[in-house]
Amino acid sequence: PTINIKDRMIGLRMTYYFTDPKRGDVAIFKCPAEGPDYGKLYVKRVIGLPGETVTIKAGQVIITTADGETIYLDESYLNETPREDLTVNNQTYILGDDEYFMMGDNRNNSKDSRYWTNTFVRFDQIVGKAEIRYFPSIKLLN
């Protein structure tokens, strides 16, 4: 797993002052979901970028970029095969100009953009980029 419960990491706030989040970044953001976790810091992977369409079909993430290009996401960082029987399969999400689609690497058990009422994370909700896990061992997060 990329990050486990109780892991400690270093995140850089300055990263997104100079560049926009990129697909595959591990981002720290304020949870947009209504309920008890609203505003708590979450760590998830950036999957969809502003203006894109994210489709999940039989566990495969398919991105349609703003230019119309279709990308079948290579998610070699996942440790398990995404389950096809989840209710969030065969769903399509259309992102606005300031919206990001976030998913956890523990796909089968992650409460992420697929489940939230407010499905997307706005740029102003992103706090920084997770760069290094330093406890229980040192690991670059990519």
Side-chain angles (χ1 to χ4, degrees):
T2 308
I3 300 170
N4 290 304
I5 294 171
K6 297 190 179 186
D7 282 2
R8 301 290 182 254
M9 68 191 86
I10 296 172
L12 300 179
R13 291 180 187 266
M14 296 294 288
T15 300
Y16 297 134
Y17 287 178
F18 303 106
T19 63
D20 291 332
K22 295 175 181 48
R23 188 178 343 279
D25 284 359
V26 179
I28 304 165
F29 58 93
K30 294 178 183 175
C31 178
E34 295 175 6
D37 283 354
Y38 179 79
K40 286 185 180 180
L41 292 182
Y42 269 28
V43 179
K44 305 279 181 199
R45 195 171 294 271
V46 177
I47 299 296
L49 303 174
E52 294 183 334
T53 300
V54 177
T55 302
I56 302 168
K57 194 176 219 178
Q60 170 70 56
V61 178
I62 305 162
I63 306 290
T64 304
T65 67
D67 298 334
E69 178 186 359
T70 300
I71 300 168
Y72 289 83
L73 213 55
D74 173 20
E75 298 185 292
S76 53
Y77 46 80
L78 297 180
N79 284 342
E80 59 191 5
T81 302
R83 290 181 21 213
E84 294 183 28
D85 63 337
L86 296 175
T87 58
V88 293
N89 277 316
N90 302 315
Q91 298 290 325
T92 298
Y93 307 88
I94 300 170
L95 284 71
D97 291 337
D98 186 38
E99 297 174 333
Y100 295 83
F101 193 85
M102 307 292 197
M103 292 175 77
D105 288 357
N106 183 8
R107 248 349 111 69
N108 296 332
N109 295 302
S110 180
K111 297 301 180 206
D112 49 38
S113 285
R114 300 170 295 168
Y115 293 95
W116 301 329
T117 304
N118 300 326
T119 308
F120 311 113
V121 175
R122 293 185 324 271
F123 181 77
D124 66 348
Q125 294 169 309
I126 298 174
V127 174
K129 180 179 179 185
E131 296 280 354
I132 300 170
R133 181 188 70 195
Y134 64 86
F135 179 85
S137 61
I138 296 176
K139 177 182 180 180
L140 289 175
L141 303 174
N142 51 16

